[in-house]
Amino acid sequence: MTSMLERPVDLDGMRRGATGDSPAKRRLSRRSILGGIARHSLLIALLIVFLAPLFFIVTTALMTDQQALTSNLIPDPINWANFAEVFDRIPLVRYVANTVLIAVATTVFAIVSSVPVAYALATFKFKGRRALWIAIIAAMMLPPQVTIVPLYVMWAQVGAVGTPLPLIVPALFGDAFTIFLLRQFFVSVPRSYIDAARIDGAGEFRILWSVFMPMVRPAIVAAGLFAFFFAWNDFFNPLLYLGSNQEWYTLSIGLSQFRSVYAVQWNLAMAATLLFVLPVVVLFFFAQKQFVQGIALTGVKE
Amino acid sequence: MTAVASRTAGPGATRVRRGNPWRTRLTILAFLSPGIIGLAVFFVYPLAANLYYSFTRYDLVNPAQWAGFANYQFMFDGDRQIGTALRNTLVFCVVSVPVSLAFALGVASVLARIRSGAGIYRTLFYLPTLLPPVAAAMAFSFVLNPGTGPVNAILKFLGLPQPLWFHDPNLSQISLLMLTTWGVGNTIVIFLAAVNEVPQEQLEAAQIDGAGPLRRFWSITIPTISPVLLFATITGVIASLQLFSQPYVVSTVIGGGSGSAADNLGYPQNTLLFFTQVLYQQGFRYFNMGYAAALSMVLFAATLVVTVIMIAATRRGIHSEES
């Protein structure tokens, strides 16, 4: 699991660890061992602070009502019933179903519509390519609130406010971030395969489907994960478009309303939070490598 | 930003084979069509329409009425909320971006220098980033809850003062800063990838010449990763300008049990009132769509200015580096 994340060869460490023959070098390597200990201690101290909130979410989710009101940090007894109670208190199954449906549809649509665009941007030379690329980056960078008034008016006029359509349909027309990410992956694919297929007389659709797609499967998985997480985590758009219709509430909206319905039951609130987070964490652990590559690509210069 | 925007061609982008040029053009157009339609309908049109709406009075029921600069005038003269929100947003932006970038860069450069276990550390530092913003805000509302939260329980055990965190108008923004900095995992991963690209030979040469670790970091690492640093700064600034979910959830969850969630926006004492929340409230609670459009024009202008300044700064930075 973690070995996937490790850099393949730790050249850095090998160089520093090499036994030198001069005393100066030996002194350097002794210092580097001490430095290593210092670095590990620093990181572990930071991690304890960093991971403490996660620990508290888990422990509180397992506490009884009464214990959650005390300042006791370790659950005693462990109260698994909180998770079942969350299902009784809020329509969690419906929220999960809505969220899964919206996130899966968005992901599939965004990938299907963005792959050809990213492929064309990475492979063809054409007039206006630079302008299109800048427009895509601009669309990705601008806050969604900048275009929200006209979009809301648009969806209200077709009677789609209160349905998940405003959350799903735009993904059918290419998602700016997905296009950006895929294109960053695609430009690193060796061009010779495509050229060879062209010389053999294959059409562009055929090349994309049978030559290119099998080569870029990891990129598609990474971009798909990002699209899924964006949709799963999104709060602003569901709040806006579903706000009037509880039928279609997602987990974000359901969770954000937890307190207003059930005063101070933090144990239930934390149990619900855990249930919301769990699928994302599980997915992440299965696809860490793709994930990390995707993130690194969004910030690394070409 | 420039690094991303300026290189439009892939390394080996080839001109499509000759043959029927019209067919080729149509093929390219077919490939691009979802993106072009999407940009036109969900980006270019709304941007233009937003400008128009910002000069109107529009409540979604009655047709939009031309109002000239009334919305903008109200923003500067009449709206008492927006001044507070603007100040909160800018202060938070100016503090939170350097803090989170410095933290991420610090962790990344320490991570880049350890020999084993970097992958495990990176995974663990990334873990909080996996929490959806709403979940993270819920978690922090609880963890920093003055009465029953574990942080104050620990402080009490240690005999330290127990602050009111989100409930204290003087500490609410600092509490929010802790919450947003908690989700800094993406930036750590980006910086780690960049720091690992710094040529080892240069660092060793500098070390032999007697440069200390700080000097090496400042004179070699920082200039090498500056494009990534600037990209992260731009996206960080933009992200903090559009911050919405976390303050919304914190305010409404801890603000007290009122029926309408929007009533508690900004709790406590409007210290967590941010620009996008005023926009949301005006547009989608009070249905002052024209005024909300004017507010989003301001957000648009701010984003544009930030991006242009940063790009100009990058250009000059990279230029002087080359010469």
Side-chain angles (χ1 to χ4, degrees), chain B residues 128-149:
Chain B
T129 312
L130 287 175
L131 266 64
V134 170
M138 283 295 277
F140 261 63
S141 302
F142 162 67
V143 169
L144 295 179
N145 189 35
T148 55

Side-chain angles (χ1 to χ4, degrees), chain B residues 3-22:
Chain B
V4 176
S6 61
R7 278 279 298 277
T8 52
T14 45
R15 216 164 251 293
V16 183
R17 110 200 105 101
R18 48 284 92 192
N20 189 342
W22 274 107

Side-chain angles (χ1 to χ4, degrees), chain B residues 152-168:
Chain B
N152 275 7
I154 292 170
L155 291 176
K156 189 178 178 186
F157 178 77
L158 296 173
L160 294 168
Q162 297 133 51
L164 295 175
W165 301 112
F166 283 120
H167 291 272
D168 180 347

Side-chain angles (χ1 to χ4, degrees), chain A residues 39 52 88 91 106 109 128 145 174 271 291:
Chain A
R39 281 187 277 273
D88 293 340
T106 310
F109 290 171
Q145 289 91 352
F291 217 75

Side-chain angles (χ1 to χ4, degrees), chain B residues 18-223:
Chain B
R18 48 284 92 192
N20 189 342
W22 274 107
R23 220 192 118 141
T24 312
R25 268 177 222 157
L26 277 177
T27 311
I28 296 177
L29 199 63
F31 276 67
L32 293 176
S33 56
I36 292 173
I37 295 170
L39 280 173
V41 176
F42 297 108
F43 186 64
V44 178
Y45 158 74
L47 272 183
N50 197 56
L51 182 64
Y52 165 72
Y53 282 124
S54 77
F55 292 113
T56 65
R57 237 181 283 278
Y58 186 36
D59 60 5
L60 215 58
V61 181
N62 303 299
Q65 268 186 344
W66 187 258
F69 283 93
N71 290 321
Y72 293 95
Q73 217 156 23
F74 179 66
M75 206 185 302
F76 290 109
D77 301 337
D79 192 348
R80 265 176 296 143
Q81 266 195 326
I82 196 67
T84 314
L86 214 62
R87 198 170 52 243
N88 288 343
T89 307
L90 292 179
V91 167
F92 192 76
C93 178
V94 166
V95 176
S96 77
V97 172
V99 165
S100 60
L101 291 189
F103 181 77
L105 186 57
V107 172
S109 39
V110 175
L111 270 181
R113 296 209 51 204
I114 62 171
R115 289 182 209 181
S116 56
I120 299 166
Y121 282 119
R122 182 174 56 187
T123 304
L124 292 177
F125 274 110
Y126 193 79
L127 222 49
T129 312
L130 287 175
L131 266 64
V134 170
M138 283 295 277
F140 261 63
S141 302
F142 162 67
V143 169
L144 295 179
N145 189 35
T148 55
V151 167
N152 275 7
I154 292 170
L155 291 176
K156 189 178 178 186
F157 178 77
L158 296 173
L160 294 168
Q162 297 133 51
L164 295 175
W165 301 112
F166 283 120
H167 291 272
D168 180 347
N170 296 316
L171 287 181
S172 55
Q173 284 227 4
I174 293 173
S175 312
L176 187 67
L177 177 68
M178 290 160 69
L179 164 56
T180 55
T181 308
W182 197 46
V184 84
N186 280 331
T187 322
I188 293 179
V189 173
I190 290 171
F191 284 167
L192 188 58
V195 170
N196 279 330
E197 295 280 305
V198 176
Q200 195 61 34
E201 299 74 31
Q202 279 189 30
L203 291 172
E204 276 172 8
Q207 191 171 9
I208 288 164
D209 289 346
L214 277 179
R215 172 81 205 189
R216 269 175 281 154
F217 181 74
W218 190 250
S219 305
I220 297 170
T221 306
I222 293 278

